[in-house]
């Protein structure tokens, strides 16, 4: 049987002895480190650490105490989670359904340390499918006149379900700066190109037109600058002159599914730290 | 023992019966097709074919006759080559030497259907190494004042050696429109990013700064528009937050070597047709 | 709009003029070749061709006439299909469901030139899921005492649905020689290793124990010799010392899904020819 | 400017507090950890760590003191190295030269934290090339009658040059148990298949005959059991039915070069620990 562990993600100004102070704190409580990984950006002078340990005593007390220790004594930004946590996720979809099905099936297969709380869409196309999976489906149509109202509604839904993550499964709407700021939650988007190549719309058409020999997919945190957010994961596949745009779309679906899933998994496993519009991924 | 074959590369407006007419011409002479591959761009209505056959009679006569047939009767653009041809190549280098060594060693290992005729450089760094390989080394320094003269000289050297291909093995100078136009030979360049991402200078720095999770290399035909020419071959490799720019440079070297070599091989094997700034690669 | 095409797969003893005779036959009827690919095994002296063309007249008449021509005049084995054909497939499953879901979703997304006619299983686990997809589910338990009877029943079901292909989506039973012989249909299996490494049971445990740095998946045609049939497609993914057997199982699922799907697609697109326990794949 | 660091590789029975004790020891001396990575095999109850730090005082004294601390106080097996160490390597070759050239060029390019001390061969083919690189070349012919004597001689040469690593760059002789035992140095071999598939001789012929769709290369530590040693690194590349055995050999060369180089680099960077015929690779 697997024991519940505490996972801490730390970042902050580098200083001598951080690894020692963190590990000694854990050891001094009789607890046992299972994994620890750290990174320094020597130019930016920032220290990053992911440490996972099995607590000796009360897990809630120990995780709270660690949080205090890391933030107050070490001056680090810190996030603490338990390996048994199952944070709630809002899935944003439009009509395209491959990432929708793939993501939900992975959660149902137990691959993901979280739970899909609701599906939000600007179309009704996937309502039946979502409900067949037993998931609440919230239809929030968006057009140029109601964008602000619709986002207001989205915000309420996401908050009412207690979501801690938003995942855009090929959601075909841009999230406004205001929405992202007020949401104040991580949002993972999947873009169907190897960014920064072919940002913007119709990347498979762009790729076909440019005659590249590889197509890609990029999962990134959504920011106010479209397709400019911190990249979490990328992958590519080979194409050739025989492939039409439709072939690229089909081949790309497999990339999008696996890259999106991998990014969500890494996030839920508390393996990602963001700084300077980049990610540290402790995989 | 391998028999000498004729290889024809055809392209032109599509019309019914092209495959039949080409293969019947060959069959009617008692010759035998070894490989044939074709492609249609249905939007552009262009037909492409690579056909390789063992001639029954005199190889020179048959290849000349085919050329006439394909251009005059079929109205196609056609290039005809023999499998025993060893076209001459001019290698352009600066100081960076990994593509230089790798390319020369591949030719010496018999991997390539061609011969390096000369090494041209704007630095003396690789003179000894080139001469140790038994290759003529031509030093042609370039600065802002002598660019036109230097290119004039390059042109003469390339022509005097009878080169049919120019390969830029991390040559750190831009070729002028005028030079390319007067050269009138294919020029293969290796760019150290997965184009169109990170065109221009210092692509590894750009990649590091953007925080991508893959770096790449792209071999393309050089055109007047820098880094915008038809892409021949691309590949990528995975990187992570631990990798410094120096790591990217090191990892990238392996990509550059293999992508550059693969592009040269495909070209020398007469497998590439160019149209609309794209390539058809019959591999 | 896409026009219906005829696709022919030919194989037989090589002889001069085959490409010419096939293309001339098509041209002489005023029909137009869209794609043609051929291969020679020069050692075995066998010629293989896949040719796809748009017929000028009645498609049924032309495909029948071609079949006669190719078999009687050219002495080739020939399979002729239409691009609009949607052959029926029997999906064999046990309890493991990732290939089951993935395959069905790909057919529903229109990725595959065929239709799933029925799901056959030796367990009831996936009954509800199959029926939710609107697919007939046939429960045929198998144990050591009833194997022959159960296979007899399987055979009847597969035939009653008019299936032309059987796809084993992680079906955990071995098909007997007798069953395969009487079935006389292609059977595609997905094995969770890069065969021939780790044939037999528990390949992820074998891989973990041997300490390999890559795991793979292999789709092959099932034969009487378990895991020894002609390989259609393979892929691998990278693992490291941190990965437990459970991690390999999870990572492997993605490989199994995509490799299995690709093999089914290639088969349904009539791109595979089998000889000498190997495949020619015209992709 | 890069500072010299101490690198320690530790392994031994797991016990609580190891991470803390190691990092505290380093911190208590005023030294600063740059990288630290650890792994536990929970089944085997073994702890592995690679830790790299910048010492505060005398580097020799500190590395010796750490070695004592780790072995005596923590009961771990420990290897300590400096980032400036350049261990000597003996390169074993026969006639095949691609790994020979590639490896030497990588050392000359400064990619590797070591130095090639000598080239030993059972053929004279590469003598001139080795000497052109400025490397001592030792010709030690081997046949069935003189194997023991020849290995005796090899041993002397390797020891006389003070080598700490032996790298078999497609050396076509098997090393005897006795030789390996007396040598008592790590030996890295490159095998031209994705082991455990196609162990033994002529793996490309085996791969061609079996009809696999991927070929691979495997770098491993040589042991008395041929092709059964702990795997360090593997990679694969895609092939198809068009590829002859000669094509596999050519494509495989690129794999062999990069996989072999990567294994040597990981070893020289002190990133590999061996146990239970497997490797932990801290990359």
């Amino acid at each position: 049987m697997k024991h519940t562990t505490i996972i801490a993600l730390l970042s902050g100004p580098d200083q001598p002895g951080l690894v020692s102070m963190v590990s000694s704190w854990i050891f001094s409580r009789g607890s046992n480190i299972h994994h620890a990984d750290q990174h320094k950006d020597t130019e930016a002078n920032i220290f990053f650490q992911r440490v996972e340990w099995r607590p000796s005593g009360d897990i809630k007390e120990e995780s709270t105490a660690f949080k205090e220790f890391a933030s107050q004594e070490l001056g680090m930004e810190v996030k603490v989670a338990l390996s048994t946590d199952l944070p709630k996720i809002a899935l944003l979809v439009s009509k395209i359904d491959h990432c929708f099905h793939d993501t939900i099936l992975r959660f149902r297969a137990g691959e993901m340390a979280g739970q899909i709380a609701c599906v939000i869409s600007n179309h009704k196309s996937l309502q039946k499918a979502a409900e067949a999976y037993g998931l609440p489906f919230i239809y929030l149509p968006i057009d140029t006149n109601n964008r602000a109202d619709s986002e207001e509604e989205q915000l309420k839904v996401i908050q009412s379900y207690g979501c801690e993550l938003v995942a855009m499964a090929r959601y075909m709407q841009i999230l406004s700066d205001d929405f992202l700021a007020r949401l104040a939650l991580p949002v993972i988007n999947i873009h169907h190109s190897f960014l920064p190549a072919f940002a913007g719309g119709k990347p498979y058409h762009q790729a076909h037109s440019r005659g590249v020999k590889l197509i890609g997919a990029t999962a990134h945190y959504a920011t106010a600058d479209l397709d400019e957010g911190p990249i979490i994961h990328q992958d590519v596949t080979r194409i050739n002159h025989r492939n039409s745009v439709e072939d690229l779309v089909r081949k790309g679906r497999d990339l999008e599914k696996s890259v999106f899933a991998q990014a969500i998994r890494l996030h839920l496993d508390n393996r990602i730290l963001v700084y300077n519009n980049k990610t540290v991924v402790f995989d």
Side-chain angles (χ1 to χ4, degrees), chain A residues 15-28 49 66 69 73-74:
Chain A
Q15 51 174 294
L18 282 172
V19 174
S20 168
M21 286 183 274
V22 167
S23 56
S24 297
W25 188 94
I26 294 167
F27 182 47
S28 72
Q49 189 176 38
F66 182 83
F69 160 74
E73 294 189 39
L74 304 182

Side-chain angles (χ1 to χ4, degrees), chain A residues 88-90 92 117-118 120 138 140 151-166 178-185:
Chain A
K88 286 174 180 152
I89 295 123
L92 266 52
C118 60
I120 303 174
I138 298 93
L140 292 175
E151 286 196 339
E152 185 66 39
E153 206 56 45
Q154 274 187 328
L155 209 58
K156 277 189 203 158
V157 172
I158 293 167
Q159 287 165 347
S160 73
Y161 278 98
C163 295
E164 298 176 49
L165 173 69
V166 175
D178 180 61
F179 174 81
L180 285 168
R182 293 172 60 206
L183 181 66
L185 289 178

